Amino acid sequence: MKKLTRKALYLALAVSVLFGCVLSAPVPVRAADPDPMEVHFIDVGQGDATLVTCGGHAMLIDAGDDSKGTAIQNYLKKQKITKLDYLILTHPDADHIGGAPVIITKFDIGKVFVSNFEKDNKTYQKLIQSLDDKRIKALTPKINAKYSLGTAGITILAPNDSYDNPNDASIGLLLKNGTRSFLFTGDAGEDAENDILETDIDISADVYKVGHHGSKYSTSKEFFEAVNPFYAVISCGEGNSYGHPHAETLNTLRTNGVKVYRTDESGTIIASTDGKSISFNVPASESWKAGEPTGGSSGSSTKSTTPAKASAAHAAQTQKPAETSQPKAPAGTGQTAAPAASEPDPAPAAPPQNETAPAVEEKPQDSAPPVTNGLTYVLNVKTKKFHYPTCNSLPTTNRQDSSESRDSIVAQGYVPCKRCNP
């Protein structure tokens, strides 16, 4: 055999090195497809309870009032839920935390998140006792904190401050799986919504769980435009005593072409997504009917509110193609996004006469403050905010009544409430 020349040896060595590099080079890995995710807006009457499942993981946001704990427990069991990665109790109102002690007792739970607002009542004390019994330490999550649920990501949006009322102290979160997203804000009002906007976090979402059961004190114009949803879900009880959902909120949704789903009309609503499209198990509401206060004390649904109940509307879905999301129209334009082919044409943009809210006269800037038995303002000594005595956002704790002048109170470092603008 002939000996290889030095040049041939160098060439052979170079080829072997190059070939080895090619073989050892990392192969690009294709990102895994998002896990299928379901969002169950459980019908609990006048209250909130939402189950989210994704890739074998589960999260419960709120738990209805104390009469719904067992019903929610049974619903979770039917979904084969044995453990919750997260239990998020947006704020301590009874219609959001009342059923939580049952859930805490019956299920293994990874993390429990609660609002930074505490209440001194039996419902709240039962919650704290159930947590103590299971040796669970509840936490208030930090703004912009990130968590995962299967392939879905959770971003915390609120609370951004110490507020005078439990509603504004609601935990807000954005849930995103693939390219599809869902927004939850509890019962947050306009003040809290403004604070969320000031964080500059992108809150645009395909599905908006409408704040405070459709109350007119939530879903402000600027907030709605930032969310720019294609779908909206309202959780409320039929014939509730609060008149939820209010006409003002429904008009905002209708004039912007948003498809609305309501638990008072359809029962439990399930949104399913593969990370690319979204489908619902029931048709969108076509009634656009505002709630009418009944004067009842509970505000609960007068119809059966068992989460697993069936209805003709549910059965009808087995005969219609799933509704999927389409590109959204710019919020505030009044233009309607293109409907899915299987859906009927959306309602006309103009709200009906009987749903239009009466105009509200703005208070002149130089008007005198209202006086109630010599009381001019109510102070929150913790947050350093002051209110008119007639404000619907008065503090329940850390309260101090004052008969001093506005200038005197401002000089002490207090700032005016954004809602009543004293």
Side-chain angles (χ1 to χ4, degrees):
M1 179 182 292
K2 294 183 180 180
K3 291 183 179 181
L4 293 174
T5 65
R6 182 174 296 180
K7 184 177 180 180
L9 283 172
Y10 287 155
L11 180 60
L13 180 61
V15 170
S16 64
V17 170
L18 178 62
F19 187 66
C21 289
V22 171
L23 289 180
S24 61
V27 178
V29 178
R30 181 175 175 269
D33 291 332
D35 293 326
M37 185 174 80
E38 291 185 347
V39 182
H40 301 238
F41 302 92
I42 305 173
D43 181 15
V44 290
Q46 184 63 21
D48 270 353
T50 304
L51 170 68
V52 182
T53 62
C54 185
H57 298 268
M59 167 174 68
L60 184 67
I61 306 172
D62 288 327
D65 65 30
D66 58 2
S67 68
K68 305 299 180 185
T70 301
I72 296 173
Q73 173 196 353
N74 292 336
Y75 187 86
L76 266 57
K77 285 185 175 180
K78 287 183 179 180
Q79 304 304 315
K80 303 187 184 304
I81 303 299
T82 58
K83 177 183 178 180
L84 293 170
D85 292 66
Y86 308 97
L87 171 61
I88 300 179
L89 303 173
T90 60
H91 65 293
D93 280 355
D95 60 328
H96 292 253
I97 68 168
V102 173
I103 304 304
I104 293 169
T105 301
K106 299 296 184 179
F107 294 88
D108 290 333
I109 302 175
K111 290 182 174 64
V112 176
F113 293 150
V114 296
S115 164
N116 59 8
F117 194 104
E118 299 180 2
K119 278 193 169 183
D120 185 16
N121 59 31
K122 291 183 179 179
T123 302
Y124 191 77
Q125 292 305 319
K126 285 181 181 179
L127 168 64
I128 299 303
Q129 186 62 54
S130 65
L131 291 170
D132 289 344
D133 291 344
K134 290 289 289 284
R135 298 182 180 180
I136 297 175
K137 183 179 180 180
L139 303 172
T140 300
K142 295 181 179 180
I143 304 306
N144 211 19
K146 312 286 186 182
Y147 301 93
S148 62
L149 187 76
T151 58
I154 303 166
T155 301
I156 302 299
L157 307 174
N160 289 276
D161 200 350
S162 295
Y163 295 94
D164 298 333
N165 64 82
N167 289 342
D168 282 344
S170 293
I171 295 174
L173 64 95
L174 185 70
L175 174 69
K176 187 170 184 179
N177 191 40
T179 61
R180 296 305 176 185
S181 52
F182 296 69
L183 180 68
F184 300 84
T185 59
D187 283 0
E190 187 172 345
D191 285 353
E193 290 176 347
N194 289 337
D195 289 340
I196 292 175
L197 293 178
E198 289 178 3
T199 65
D200 290 329
I201 299 175
D202 181 7
I203 61 171
S204 59
D206 298 287
V207 180
Y208 171 41
K209 167 66 177 52
V210 181
H212 202 174
H213 318 286
S215 167
K216 62 184 177 182
Y217 299 113
S218 299
T219 314
S220 61
K221 179 177 181 294
E222 294 78 8
F223 189 78
F224 172 80
E225 290 178 350
V227 180
N228 190 21
F230 191 87
Y231 304 115
V233 177
I234 300 174
S235 179
C236 62
E238 183 182 22
N240 66 84
S241 62
Y242 308 100
H244 295 155
H246 291 152
E248 292 90 334
T249 302
L250 289 176
N251 288 337
T252 295
L253 299 171
R254 186 175 191 178
T255 57
N256 286 281
V258 179
K259 293 180 180 294
V260 175
Y261 299 81
R262 299 169 50 163
T263 60
D264 62 330
E265 294 182 351
S266 299
T268 293
I269 297 162
I270 304 174
S272 303
T273 179
D274 58 1
K276 300 175 184 177
S277 62
I278 299 173
S279 61
F280 286 80
N281 70 322
V282 294
S285 172
E286 296 181 355
S287 71
W288 298 105
K289 180 182 178 182
E292 297 179 2
T294 62
S297 59
S298 67
S300 299
S301 173
T302 55
K303 63 186 176 65
S304 171
T305 56
T306 303
K309 73 182 176 202
S311 67
H314 291 187
Q317 289 308 291
T318 61
Q319 302 177 8
K320 105 182 233 313
E323 178 182 335
T324 56
S325 60
Q326 305 293 324
K328 294 185 278 189
T333 62
Q335 296 178 354
T336 304
S342 60
E343 282 291 297
D345 291 336
Q353 292 295 320
N354 61 356
E355 288 182 7
T356 302
V360 179
E361 295 183 2
E362 294 186 1
K363 174 181 65 66
Q365 292 299 314
D366 58 352
S367 61
V371 179
T372 306
N373 294 329
L375 177 65
T376 54
Y377 298 104
V378 175
L379 316 181
N380 187 314
V381 297
K382 182 178 181 180
T383 64
K384 305 296 286 187
K385 293 180 182 178
F386 67 99
H387 312 254
Y388 279 140
T390 54
C391 180
N392 60 8
S393 184
L394 293 178
T396 55
T397 58
N398 305 306
R399 170 175 170 154
Q400 178 180 319
D401 296 342
S402 175
S403 57
E404 297 180 60
S405 68
R406 187 182 193 279
D407 291 342
S408 175
I409 291 172
V410 171
Q412 297 173 44
Y414 286 88
V415 296
C417 165
K418 295 179 182 178
R419 179 165 294 177
C420 64
N421 193 27

